[in-house]
């Protein structure tokens, strides 16, 4: 049953992808404007050009590294805050208003503000990192805090009579049990991280970035390149999510 369900799921996914390509084909053939509505053949050629061009590959790798570093920074900060929360529940009462502002503030407003405030040779390259960090931190932190709040009462009661410091109990008991929920949070965040990073690169005009690649394509109305870049970003995100899912499965087997 599980195998047939898996096959059905894959078939449904392939049909969905096929419908997208059919839609592009129909639109490109019904509109007499190949620059705005490029054909599948032109888009495919752009895809091949991008994946065979060393400069473009480097740009994508740099954006991937930026997203990775921003997410790592959010993870480290969330770990520290969750540890403080484990020691004292008032930690989140203090941080809730700040996190609420970070979650509610429009991405464009955050990016523009950072663009104006964080400047200079040192500050300018940090702009997209800061924007992505500020957007992803509240989401990842919620995963950490939710894991602590949902810890089974049996474990909490057992830890009360177990010798050892709070730090030792957090590292040895709490954190290993939190990892599956943290991975789920990462799966929810990785796509958002890429979207935010690329938007921040676009608004801050970060050198050697996918955001600038999109900006340049838009500025000359190269819609084939724009669509090709979108497809490549989707593939990268799906690969990233697949890798995280495999890590989660490995953890469960242990």
């Amino acid at each position: 049953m599980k195998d047939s369900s898996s096959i059905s799921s894959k078939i449904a996914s392939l049909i969905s992808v096929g419908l997208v390509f059919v839609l592009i084909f129909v639109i490109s053939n019904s509109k007499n404007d190949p620059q705005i509505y490029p054909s599948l053949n032109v888009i495919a050629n752009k895809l091949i050009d991008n994946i065979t061009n060393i400069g473009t590959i480097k740009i994508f790798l740099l954006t991937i590294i930026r997203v990775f570093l921003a997410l790592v920074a959010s993870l480290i900060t969330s770990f520290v805050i969750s540890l403080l929360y484990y020691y004292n529940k008032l930690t989140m009462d203090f941080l809730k208003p700040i996190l609420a502002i970070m979650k509610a503030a429009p991405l464009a407003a955050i990016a523009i503000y950072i663009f104006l405030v964080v400047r200079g040779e040192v500050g300018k390259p940090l702009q997209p990192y800061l924007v992505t960090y500020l957007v992803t931190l509240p989401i990842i932190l919620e995963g950490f805090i939710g894991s602590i709040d949902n810890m089974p009462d049996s474990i909490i009661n057992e830890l009360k009579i177990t010798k050892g410091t709070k730090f030792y109990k957090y590292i040895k008991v709490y954190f290993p049990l939190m990892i599956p929920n943290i991975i789920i949070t990462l799966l929810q965040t990785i796509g958002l991280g890429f979207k935010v990073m690329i938007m921040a690169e676009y608004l801050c005009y970060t050198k050697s970035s996918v955001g600038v690649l999109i900006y340049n394509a838009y500025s000359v109305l190269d819609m084939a390149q724009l669509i090709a870049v979108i497809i490549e970003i989707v593939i990268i995100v799906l690969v990233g999510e697949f890798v995280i899912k495999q890590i989660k499965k490995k953890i469960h087997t242990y």
Side-chain angles (χ1 to χ4, degrees):
M1 288 293 290
K2 189 178 285 187
D3 290 339
S4 62
S5 176
S6 176
I7 292 169
S8 299
S9 176
K10 288 177 181 177
I11 291 172
S13 297
L14 287 172
I15 292 172
S16 176
V17 173
L19 286 173
V20 172
F21 284 112
V22 168
L23 184 63
I24 293 172
F25 177 79
V26 171
I27 292 173
S28 62
N29 280 276
S30 62
K31 303 288 184 180
N32 191 26
D33 191 349
Q35 187 176 18
I36 303 298
Y37 305 100
S39 66
L40 288 173
N41 185 47
V42 174
I43 295 169
N45 288 333
K46 284 289 183 179
L47 278 167
I48 294 168
D49 289 343
N50 287 345
I51 61 177
T52 55
N53 185 291
I54 300 298
T56 307
I57 293 170
K58 180 184 174 184
I59 285 171
F60 273 94
L61 285 174
L62 286 172
T63 292
I64 291 169
I65 291 169
R66 289 188 189 104
V67 174
F68 176 77
L69 292 176
L71 290 177
V72 167
S74 294
L75 281 167
I76 293 170
T77 305
S78 298
F79 174 82
V80 173
I81 294 173
S82 67
L83 179 59
L84 294 172
Y85 177 70
Y86 177 62
Y87 273 92
N88 192 328
K89 303 295 183 184
L90 289 174
T91 302
M92 284 307 295
D93 292 327
F94 172 76
L95 291 173
K96 270 180 183 176
I98 299 170
L99 294 171
I101 293 170
M102 289 167 64
K103 286 175 70 175
L107 171 58
I110 294 173
I112 292 169
Y113 184 77
I114 288 175
F115 177 74
L116 294 172
V117 174
V118 184
R119 311 189 75 169
E121 291 183 7
V122 176
K124 190 170 176 60
L126 295 176
Q127 292 170 350
Y129 294 98
L130 289 171
V131 175
T132 308
Y133 170 78
L134 291 173
V135 173
T136 57
L137 176 60
I139 299 167
I140 293 176
L141 181 57
E142 280 183 356
F144 274 80
I145 300 303
S147 298
I148 294 175
D149 289 340
N150 295 319
M151 195 64 61
D153 291 335
S154 57
I155 293 173
I156 295 171
N157 294 330
E158 189 175 338
L159 285 175
K160 287 178 181 178
I161 58 173
T162 303
K163 290 183 179 180
T165 63
K166 271 200 163 188
F167 181 78
Y168 177 84
K169 293 174 184 178
Y170 181 84
I171 296 298
K172 293 294 183 180
V173 180
Y174 265 72
F175 188 67
L177 293 173
M178 290 163 58
I179 288 174
N181 284 336
I182 293 169
I183 290 173
I184 291 170
T185 304
L186 274 177
L187 286 170
Q188 296 170 344
T189 311
I190 187 169
L192 175 66
F194 266 97
K195 286 190 284 188
V196 172
M197 176 61 75
I198 292 167
M199 177 59 74
E201 290 173 341
Y202 180 91
L203 292 173
C204 300
Y205 203 78
T206 305
K207 291 181 180 179
S208 299
S209 68
V210 174
V212 170
L213 205 63
I214 290 173
Y215 180 90
N216 292 338
Y218 169 74
S219 63
V220 295
L221 293 180
D222 189 353
M223 295 299 107
Q225 172 71 330
L226 193 62
I227 294 170
V229 170
I230 291 170
I231 293 170
E232 286 155 357
I233 292 165
V234 170
I235 292 169
I236 290 168
V237 171
L238 290 175
V239 169
E241 289 179 350
F242 174 78
V243 170
I244 293 173
K245 284 178 182 177
Q246 295 308 305
I247 293 170
K248 184 183 178 183
K249 286 180 182 178
K250 291 278 186 183
I251 291 169
H252 277 304
T253 56
Y254 292 113

